[in-house]
């Protein structure tokens, strides 16, 4: 077993969550924002009208394109992606399957499989106890994986949409601010407020699109690749154990038939 691991025959996904990289990226983005704000105080960098236009507008446009449930599901996926990779919960299961394959352990010895509880290995064993063949189990498991993958891809699509919507709304706020500036030429005291709206909405839209939504979309998209590869490994290993069990059953049945014919 140890020799096989040393020779890299057992491809178990390693934990890809790197807290150092996450902290470094967050600190770096914070430094960027602080550096950008040095030219002016934080108070001068805040414009509630601009925030409402960019942030509020982005939220409502996303609600128009995606339903509330899709937005909520995508938010959960994004938050989970910040805590680790999607294969984190499968590493232990994959190791158990590797040990079972090498030590000729029966699949139903790994879990009781008395009922469906959401644990994918337990659910596979439950279906196996119900007499389902590998091809039938594969259809059900693949459908479940596909449903989750569609949700993950929807989260990427939503983030990419947000990355393009927020700068557009920033430009929209800029135009509104410039129009307000032109209307305030006869009243110089109102020009500053209008110019603030014109400039800061561009800043808000660009910052959200480039520094928030685009990096998040890339992170989730990368995790989607890991998600598919991890479940592909799981199905391949389950297939080995299920087909091995089916061969055992076929062999036992063949021996009974031969014994009956001899008698």
């Amino acid at each position: 077993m140890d020799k096989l691991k040393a020779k890299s025959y057992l491809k178990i996904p390693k934990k890809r969550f790197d807290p150092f990289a996450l902290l470094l990226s967050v600190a770096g983005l914070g430094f960027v924002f602080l550096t950008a704000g040095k030219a002016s105080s934080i108070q001068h960098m805040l414009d509630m009208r601009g925030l409402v236009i960019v942030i509020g507008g982005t939220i409502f446009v996303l609600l128009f394109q995606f339903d509330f449930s899709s937005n909520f599901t995508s938010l959960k996926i994004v938050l989970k992606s910040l805590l680790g990779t999607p294969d984190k919960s499968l590493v232990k299961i994959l190791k158990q399957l590797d040990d079972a394959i090498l030590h000729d352990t029966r699949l139903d010895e790994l879990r009781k499989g008395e009922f469906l509880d959401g644990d994918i290995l337990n659910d596979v064993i439950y279906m196996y106890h119900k007499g389902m063949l590998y091809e039938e189990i594969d259809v059900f498991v693949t459908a479940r994986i596909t449903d989750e993958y569609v949700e993950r891809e929807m989260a990427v699509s939503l983030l990419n949409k947000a990355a393009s919507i927020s700068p557009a709304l920033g430009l929209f706020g800029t135009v509104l601010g410039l129009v307000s500036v032109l209307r305030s030429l006869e009243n110089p005291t109102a020009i500053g407020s209008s110019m603030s709206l014109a400039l800061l909405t561009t800043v808000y839209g660009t910052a959200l699109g480039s520094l928030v939504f685009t990096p998040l979309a890339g992170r989730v998209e990368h995790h989607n690749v890991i998600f598919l590869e991890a479940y592909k490994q799981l199905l391949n290993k389950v297939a080995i154990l299920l087909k091995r069990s089916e061969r055992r059953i076929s062999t036992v049945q063949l021996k009974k038939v031969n014994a009956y014919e001899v008698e």
Side-chain angles (χ1 to χ4, degrees), residues 14-27:
K14 295 182 179 179
K15 184 180 179 182
R16 293 177 174 83
F17 176 53
D18 188 350
F20 177 75
L22 182 61
L23 290 174
L24 183 62
S25 62
V26 172

Side-chain angles (χ1 to χ4, degrees), residues 162-195:
S164 60
I165 291 169
S166 53
L169 288 172
L171 181 60
F172 173 72
T174 298
V175 173
L176 289 179
L178 292 176
V179 170
S180 182
V181 168
L182 294 176
R183 291 180 175 177
S184 304
L185 290 178
E186 297 181 356
N187 182 16
T189 58
I191 292 178
S193 176
S194 301
M195 187 59 70

Side-chain angles (χ1 to χ4, degrees), residues 238-253:
V238 167
I240 294 173
L241 293 174
L242 285 175
K243 291 180 178 179
R244 182 183 290 176
S245 298
E246 291 173 8
R247 286 197 301 270
R248 286 192 184 121
I249 294 173
S250 299
T251 302
V252 171
Q253 291 175 341

Side-chain angles (χ1 to χ4, degrees), residues 4-102:
L4 287 173
K5 286 183 179 179
K7 295 296 182 181
S8 299
Y9 284 107
L10 297 183
K11 298 294 184 180
I12 301 175
K14 295 182 179 179
K15 184 180 179 182
R16 293 177 174 83
F17 176 53
D18 188 350
F20 177 75
L22 182 61
L23 290 174
L24 183 62
S25 62
V26 172
L29 289 175
F31 176 76
V32 170
F33 283 114
L34 288 176
T35 302
K38 282 184 178 179
S40 180
S41 66
I42 296 178
Q43 182 179 359
H44 292 159
M45 292 296 293
L46 293 177
D47 189 299
M48 291 306 299
R49 297 169 301 168
L51 291 173
V52 170
I53 290 173
V54 176
I55 298 178
T58 300
I59 292 174
F60 289 123
V61 171
L62 290 176
L63 284 175
F64 180 80
Q65 295 187 33
F66 304 86
D67 57 83
F68 182 80
S69 176
S70 299
N71 279 272
F72 182 70
T73 301
S74 298
L75 178 61
K76 289 196 299 183
I77 291 173
V78 170
L79 292 177
K80 287 181 179 179
S81 74
L82 295 176
L83 302 176
T85 51
D87 64 336
K88 183 178 179 181
S89 60
L90 294 180
V91 172
K92 184 177 180 180
I93 294 177
L94 291 172
K95 186 178 184 304
Q96 288 179 329
L97 291 172
D98 283 329
D99 291 338
I101 292 170
L102 292 172

Side-chain angles (χ1 to χ4, degrees), residues 200-226:
L200 289 179
T201 49
T202 300
V203 172
Y204 297 153
T206 303
L208 281 177
S210 301
L211 301 179
V212 178
F213 294 126
T214 297
L216 287 176
R219 184 177 180 87
V220 175
E221 191 170 13
H222 171 61
H223 286 184
N224 288 352
V225 175
I226 298 174

